[in-house]
Amino acid sequence: QVQLVQSGAEVKKPGASVKVSCKASGYSFTTYFYIHWVRQAPGKGLEWMGIISPSGGSTTYAPRLQGRVTMTRDTSTSTVYMELSSLTSEDTAVYYCARGGGSYANYWGQGTLVTVSS
Amino acid sequence: DIQMTQSPSSLSAVVGDRVTITCQASQDISNSLNWYQQKPGKAPKLLIYDASNLETGVPSRFSGSGSGTDFTFTISGLQPEDIATYYCQQYDNLLTFGGGTKVEIK
């Protein structure tokens, strides 16, 4: 069965960077499907961050995060990474990876809480 | 950017009620809309894709309709397990989520 397992919770200081991993299993990593990253601040709604194609590594990022977010993949370990730099308290959120097509996400990771605090 | 406006932001209904949530796009998105359910502490779950198509395994009491800028999500017979927050999401230009509608039992 399709599974996405994310790395554990992180606590970072303002100005630092965080890198969250998402290990996929149960399907062929480099076939049709994409990996989205979506975040959710405490008590708030969902925010789409961007998408990566595991097969070719191409990425598209949400405009408001462009320049701060980088998504990469390692096909040898079927793992996708999301790195966010220049963290502020507004980046405190649960970060989800999710598999889907380019327009939807139907398999989700368990979420990774990133807390930004001095 | 395409903005998605959901209403209401929250609602309370009795078990068995018909519940309707609306989602309005800031521009014409054809039928490029999905609906998700998120239960507390859990990841979202895709319910409806392409505005009106039911994802495999999703109960038929959930439905979606609409095109252009105005969309509707309906639960025809609210069940206790439907307590959740529901989000619309457009994919006409990148992806954007609506603000969410929290559904509670009265």
Side-chain angles (χ1 to χ4, degrees), chain A residues 17-64:
Chain A
S17 297
V18 67
K19 192 170 186 176
V20 180
S21 68
C22 171
K23 183 173 176 59
S25 62
Y27 72 102
S28 178
F29 183 66
T30 54
T31 52
Y32 166 80
F33 298 104
Y34 297 81
I35 297 290
H36 300 264
W37 287 92
V38 175
R39 69 178 180 177
Q40 186 169 37
K44 302 297 184 182
L46 303 171
E47 179 184 10
W48 182 78
M49 300 178 68
I51 188 172
I52 181 168
S53 167
S55 61
S58 62
T59 56
T60 301
Y61 302 132
R64 70 183 298 261

Side-chain angles (χ1 to χ4, degrees), chain A residues 8-116:
Chain A
E10 303 261 16
V11 179
K12 295 293 182 180
K13 293 195 182 301
S17 297
V18 67
K19 192 170 186 176
V20 180
S21 68
C22 171
K23 183 173 176 59
S25 62
Y27 72 102
S28 178
F29 183 66
T30 54
T31 52
Y32 166 80
F33 298 104
Y34 297 81
I35 297 290
H36 300 264
W37 287 92
V38 175
R39 69 178 180 177
Q40 186 169 37
K44 302 297 184 182
L46 303 171
E47 179 184 10
W48 182 78
M49 300 178 68
I51 188 172
I52 181 168
S53 167
S55 61
S58 62
T59 56
T60 301
Y61 302 132
R64 70 183 298 261
L65 295 174
Q66 188 84 36
R68 285 209 300 138
V69 66
T70 304
M71 297 175 189
T72 57
R73 95 288 192 216
D74 181 345
T75 56
S76 68
T77 60
S78 300
T79 301
V80 171
Y81 300 91
M82 186 284 299
E83 184 169 21
L84 189 63
S85 62
S86 302
L87 294 170
T88 73
S89 58
E90 294 188 353
D91 295 313
T92 293
V94 175
Y95 289 75
Y96 292 102
C97 63
R99 192 200 83 164
S103 62
Y104 67 91
N106 60 349
Y107 287 95
W108 294 67
Q110 83 275 19
T112 296
L113 176 61
V114 174
T115 302
V116 183

Side-chain angles (χ1 to χ4, degrees), chain A residues 36 38 40 44-48 51 60-64 96 102-106 108-111, chain B residues 1 34 36 38 41-46 49-50 55 87 89-91 94-100:
Chain A
H36 300 264
V38 175
Q40 186 169 37
K44 302 297 184 182
L46 303 171
E47 179 184 10
W48 182 78
I51 188 172
T60 301
Y61 302 132
R64 70 183 298 261
Y96 292 102
S103 62
Y104 67 91
N106 60 349
W108 294 67
Q110 83 275 19
Chain B
D1 290 16
N34 302 324
Y36 295 82
Q38 186 180 32
K42 300 295 186 182
K45 175 184 177 182
L46 178 67
Y49 63 94
D50 297 344
E55 177 72 349
Y87 294 92
Q89 172 245 307
Q90 69 80 25
Y91 56 87
L94 302 181
L95 275 69
T96 313
F97 288 93

